[in-house]
Amino acid sequence: MKKFLLSVAVAAFAFNVTAQEKVYFQSDFAKTWEVFKDWEGSGTNAGKAIDAVGSDGVNNYLPNMPTTVKDANGKTALQYLADEGWIIFGGGVDPNPTVSNGCNFQKFYPKMGSTNKQNGITIPTIAEFGNGVENITLSFDWFPFRAGSKAGSGLYDDTELVVIVANGSDEKQFLVPTVKPEEGAKYQWYPASISLDNVTINKDTRISVRPIDAQYLPNGTVTGVYRYCINNFKVTGKGSSAVSEIEVDSDAPATYYNLQGVKVAEPVNGMYIRVKGNKSEKVVIK
């Protein structure tokens, strides 16, 4: 009977723990953009806002920060991203990397693509994945860009995205839910959460986001404009098993859990599961 009660408590505890979200990776590009936070452009671009969401309006001119802009150390934002393990690809990306045809930057996120040039982005590898994990979720915020290079059009690009999980030459694609803002609608972030099911992801796996095959070719020869902005990446999985949480050394003092499997530091009056060494039992404390 004691063993059965403990099993129930442990099972409940394990469920509570594994249901929690474990964050393996998270980035809003803050580290890179801090270096360029004061950039305002020059000439006709000077002083104009470059946050599409923060300065919304069909007739607003939103100058992009070119990938050629360098900081005081002579480095571009693209180089800073590369130092962090990001890869911007497609559209004729310079492998150095210093220049990316099609990719520019808003404050404080990438604006991907331009006319007849499409770009994708690969997140850094995650060492914590080790030899492989499953049941991983990739989430991010994004929105398609409006047609018209400067102003006047409220029509959005028909951009559709796909997540690609690559283990060497083996790739698996996961479609991102389509976003179709109405003509003239305000810019806003649209959250996407993609369950990367039936694929093992390890420390060398590359996870990328780019336009779907029909809207993308590495050399940028697909005719059309399939632009998008993207930010707030997060890679999550399930938490660790509760069984390991309650394993104790045989010489360790007794540990107490309530009947829901939650550890209790200082038990008071009531019924508890006491674990000491390899022995566990149901006890009543008065």
Side-chain angles (χ1 to χ4, degrees), residues 142-172:
W142 78 287
F143 61 86
F145 220 66
R146 280 196 295 254
S149 60
K150 292 188 178 180
S153 174
L155 292 171
Y156 280 81
D157 294 350
D158 294 324
T159 309
E160 298 181 54
L161 299 182
V162 64
V163 174
I164 299 177
V165 179
N167 289 302
S169 60
D170 295 329
E171 294 187 354
K172 185 171 183 179

Short mmCIF file of all heavy atoms in Angstrom, two decimals, residues 142-172:
data_model
loop_
_atom_site.label_atom_id
_atom_site.label_comp_id
_atom_site.label_asym_id
_atom_site.label_seq_id
_atom_site.Cartn_x
_atom_site.Cartn_y
_atom_site.Cartn_z
N TRP A 142 6.75 37.25 -36.55
CA TRP A 142 7.09 37.69 -37.90
C TRP A 142 5.91 38.44 -38.50
O TRP A 142 4.79 38.39 -37.97
CB TRP A 142 7.49 36.52 -38.78
CG TRP A 142 6.35 35.68 -39.30
CD1 TRP A 142 5.57 34.80 -38.58
CD2 TRP A 142 5.86 35.65 -40.65
NE1 TRP A 142 4.64 34.21 -39.41
CE2 TRP A 142 4.79 34.71 -40.68
CE3 TRP A 142 6.22 36.30 -41.83
CZ2 TRP A 142 4.08 34.43 -41.84
CZ3 TRP A 142 5.51 36.01 -42.99
CH2 TRP A 142 4.46 35.09 -42.98
N PHE A 143 6.17 39.15 -39.58
CA PHE A 143 5.09 39.73 -40.39
C PHE A 143 5.60 39.94 -41.81
O PHE A 143 6.78 40.22 -42.02
CB PHE A 143 4.56 41.04 -39.80
CG PHE A 143 5.57 42.15 -39.67
CD1 PHE A 143 5.83 43.01 -40.73
CD2 PHE A 143 6.25 42.36 -38.48
CE1 PHE A 143 6.75 44.06 -40.61
CE2 PHE A 143 7.16 43.39 -38.34
CZ PHE A 143 7.41 44.24 -39.41
N PRO A 144 4.74 39.76 -42.81
CA PRO A 144 5.13 40.08 -44.19
C PRO A 144 5.21 41.58 -44.35
O PRO A 144 4.56 42.34 -43.62
CB PRO A 144 3.99 39.47 -45.03
CG PRO A 144 2.82 39.47 -44.11
CD PRO A 144 3.35 39.26 -42.73
N PHE A 145 6.02 42.04 -45.31
CA PHE A 145 6.19 43.47 -45.54
C PHE A 145 5.17 43.94 -46.57
O PHE A 145 4.66 43.16 -47.37
CB PHE A 145 7.61 43.76 -46.04
CG PHE A 145 8.19 45.01 -45.45
CD1 PHE A 145 8.47 45.11 -44.11
CD2 PHE A 145 8.47 46.11 -46.26
CE1 PHE A 145 9.01 46.26 -43.57
CE2 PHE A 145 9.01 47.27 -45.74
CZ PHE A 145 9.28 47.34 -44.38
N ARG A 146 4.88 45.24 -46.54
CA ARG A 146 3.93 45.79 -47.52
C ARG A 146 4.61 46.07 -48.85
O ARG A 146 5.78 46.44 -48.90
CB ARG A 146 3.29 47.08 -46.98
CG ARG A 146 2.15 46.82 -46.00
CD ARG A 146 1.33 48.09 -45.81
NE ARG A 146 2.12 49.13 -45.17
CZ ARG A 146 1.97 49.50 -43.90
NH1 ARG A 146 1.09 48.89 -43.14
NH2 ARG A 146 2.70 50.46 -43.39
N ALA A 147 3.87 45.91 -49.93
CA ALA A 147 4.40 46.18 -51.26
C ALA A 147 4.69 47.66 -51.41
O ALA A 147 4.13 48.51 -50.71
CB ALA A 147 3.40 45.74 -52.32
N GLY A 148 5.56 48.00 -52.37
CA GLY A 148 5.97 49.39 -52.54
C GLY A 148 7.23 49.64 -51.76
O GLY A 148 7.24 49.48 -50.54
N SER A 149 8.29 50.03 -52.42
CA SER A 149 9.58 50.14 -51.74
C SER A 149 9.63 51.28 -50.74
O SER A 149 10.41 51.25 -49.82
CB SER A 149 10.70 50.33 -52.77
OG SER A 149 10.47 51.51 -53.53
N LYS A 150 8.79 52.29 -50.94
CA LYS A 150 8.86 53.41 -50.01
C LYS A 150 7.50 53.72 -49.37
O LYS A 150 7.35 53.69 -48.17
CB LYS A 150 9.40 54.66 -50.71
CG LYS A 150 10.87 54.54 -51.10
CD LYS A 150 11.42 55.85 -51.62
CE LYS A 150 12.89 55.74 -51.95
NZ LYS A 150 13.47 57.01 -52.46
N ALA A 151 6.50 54.04 -50.17
CA ALA A 151 5.24 54.48 -49.57
C ALA A 151 4.10 54.32 -50.55
O ALA A 151 4.28 54.10 -51.74
CB ALA A 151 5.35 55.95 -49.13
N GLY A 152 2.88 54.43 -50.01
CA GLY A 152 1.71 54.54 -50.86
C GLY A 152 0.90 53.28 -51.06
O GLY A 152 -0.26 53.34 -51.44
N SER A 153 1.47 52.11 -50.83
CA SER A 153 0.74 50.87 -51.06
C SER A 153 0.43 50.19 -49.74
O SER A 153 1.30 50.04 -48.89
CB SER A 153 1.55 49.93 -51.95
OG SER A 153 0.89 48.68 -52.05
N GLY A 154 -0.81 49.77 -49.59
CA GLY A 154 -1.20 49.05 -48.38
C GLY A 154 -1.28 47.56 -48.59
O GLY A 154 -1.73 46.82 -47.71
N LEU A 155 -0.86 47.07 -49.76
CA LEU A 155 -0.89 45.65 -50.06
C LEU A 155 0.34 44.95 -49.47
O LEU A 155 1.46 45.43 -49.61
CB LEU A 155 -0.93 45.41 -51.57
CG LEU A 155 -2.22 45.83 -52.28
CD1 LEU A 155 -2.03 45.75 -53.79
CD2 LEU A 155 -3.38 44.95 -51.84
N TYR A 156 0.10 43.81 -48.84
CA TYR A 156 1.20 43.05 -48.24
C TYR A 156 1.75 42.02 -49.23
O TYR A 156 1.02 41.50 -50.07
CB TYR A 156 0.72 42.34 -46.98
CG TYR A 156 0.66 43.22 -45.76
CD1 TYR A 156 -0.42 44.08 -45.53
CD2 TYR A 156 1.69 43.22 -44.83
CE1 TYR A 156 -0.47 44.90 -44.42
CE2 TYR A 156 1.65 44.04 -43.70
CZ TYR A 156 0.57 44.86 -43.50
OH TYR A 156 0.52 45.67 -42.39
N ASP A 157 3.04 41.73 -49.09
CA ASP A 157 3.64 40.64 -49.86
C ASP A 157 2.97 39.32 -49.48
O ASP A 157 2.58 39.11 -48.32
CB ASP A 157 5.14 40.54 -49.58
CG ASP A 157 5.91 41.75 -50.05
OD1 ASP A 157 5.34 42.59 -50.77
OD2 ASP A 157 7.10 41.87 -49.68
N ASP A 158 2.88 38.42 -50.44
CA ASP A 158 2.27 37.10 -50.20
C ASP A 158 3.31 36.11 -49.67
O ASP A 158 3.39 34.97 -50.14
CB ASP A 158 1.65 36.57 -51.48
CG ASP A 158 0.47 37.41 -51.94
OD1 ASP A 158 -0.28 37.90 -51.07
OD2 ASP A 158 0.30 37.58 -53.16
N THR A 159 4.07 36.54 -48.70
CA THR A 159 5.16 35.70 -48.19
C THR A 159 4.62 34.52 -47.39
O THR A 159 3.75 34.68 -46.54
CB THR A 159 6.09 36.53 -47.29
OG1 THR A 159 6.47 37.73 -47.98
CG2 THR A 159 7.33 35.74 -46.92
N GLU A 160 5.16 33.34 -47.69
CA GLU A 160 4.87 32.14 -46.90
C GLU A 160 6.19 31.55 -46.45
O GLU A 160 7.15 31.49 -47.23
CB GLU A 160 4.08 31.13 -47.72
CG GLU A 160 2.71 31.64 -48.16
CD GLU A 160 1.95 30.60 -48.96
OE1 GLU A 160 1.80 29.46 -48.44
OE2 GLU A 160 1.51 30.90 -50.09
N LEU A 161 6.24 31.12 -45.21
CA LEU A 161 7.50 30.66 -44.63
C LEU A 161 7.48 29.17 -44.33
O LEU A 161 6.42 28.56 -44.14
CB LEU A 161 7.80 31.43 -43.34
CG LEU A 161 7.97 32.94 -43.45
CD1 LEU A 161 8.30 33.53 -42.08
CD2 LEU A 161 9.04 33.31 -44.47
N VAL A 162 8.69 28.61 -44.26
CA VAL A 162 8.87 27.22 -43.88
C VAL A 162 10.05 27.13 -42.93
O VAL A 162 11.02 27.90 -43.04
CB VAL A 162 9.10 26.34 -45.14
CG1 VAL A 162 10.40 26.73 -45.84
CG2 VAL A 162 9.10 24.87 -44.79
N VAL A 163 9.95 26.24 -41.95
CA VAL A 163 11.06 25.92 -41.05
C VAL A 163 11.75 24.68 -41.59
O VAL A 163 11.09 23.69 -41.94
CB VAL A 163 10.58 25.67 -39.61
CG1 VAL A 163 11.74 25.21 -38.73
CG2 VAL A 163 9.95 26.93 -39.04
N ILE A 164 13.06 24.73 -41.68
CA ILE A 164 13.84 23.60 -42.19
C ILE A 164 14.77 23.10 -41.09
O ILE A 164 15.55 23.87 -40.53
CB ILE A 164 14.65 23.98 -43.44
CG1 ILE A 164 13.70 24.42 -44.55
CG2 ILE A 164 15.53 22.82 -43.89
CD1 ILE A 164 14.41 24.90 -45.80
N VAL A 165 14.66 21.81 -40.77
CA VAL A 165 15.56 21.17 -39.81
C VAL A 165 16.52 20.31 -40.60
O VAL A 165 16.10 19.36 -41.29
CB VAL A 165 14.79 20.32 -38.79
CG1 VAL A 165 15.76 19.64 -37.82
CG2 VAL A 165 13.79 21.19 -38.02
N ALA A 166 17.82 20.64 -40.55
CA ALA A 166 18.81 19.95 -41.36
C ALA A 166 19.82 19.23 -40.48
O ALA A 166 20.47 19.84 -39.62
CB ALA A 166 19.54 20.95 -42.27
N ASN A 167 19.93 17.93 -40.68
CA ASN A 167 20.99 17.12 -40.09
C ASN A 167 21.89 16.66 -41.23
O ASN A 167 21.60 15.68 -41.92
CB ASN A 167 20.40 15.92 -39.35
CG ASN A 167 19.69 16.32 -38.08
OD1 ASN A 167 20.28 16.94 -37.20
ND2 ASN A 167 18.41 15.98 -37.96
N GLY A 168 22.94 17.40 -41.47
CA GLY A 168 23.76 17.13 -42.63
C GLY A 168 22.96 17.39 -43.89
O GLY A 168 22.35 18.44 -44.05
N SER A 169 22.91 16.40 -44.78
CA SER A 169 22.16 16.55 -46.02
C SER A 169 20.70 16.17 -45.88
O SER A 169 19.90 16.37 -46.80
CB SER A 169 22.80 15.68 -47.13
OG SER A 169 22.79 14.31 -46.75
N ASP A 170 20.32 15.63 -44.72
CA ASP A 170 18.93 15.26 -44.48
C ASP A 170 18.15 16.47 -43.97
O ASP A 170 18.54 17.10 -42.98
CB ASP A 170 18.84 14.13 -43.46
CG ASP A 170 19.46 12.84 -43.96
OD1 ASP A 170 19.41 12.61 -45.19
OD2 ASP A 170 19.99 12.07 -43.14
N GLU A 171 17.06 16.81 -44.65
CA GLU A 171 16.25 17.96 -44.27
C GLU A 171 14.78 17.57 -44.11
O GLU A 171 14.28 16.70 -44.82
CB GLU A 171 16.35 19.07 -45.33
CG GLU A 171 17.72 19.70 -45.45
CD GLU A 171 17.72 20.89 -46.39
OE1 GLU A 171 16.67 21.14 -47.03
OE2 GLU A 171 18.75 21.58 -46.49
N LYS A 172 14.14 18.22 -43.18
CA LYS A 172 12.70 18.07 -43.02
C LYS A 172 12.09 19.46 -42.91
O LYS A 172 12.62 20.32 -42.20
CB LYS A 172 12.36 17.24 -41.79
CG LYS A 172 10.86 16.97 -41.66
CD LYS A 172 10.55 15.96 -40.57
CE LYS A 172 9.05 15.66 -40.53
NZ LYS A 172 8.71 14.67 -39.49
#
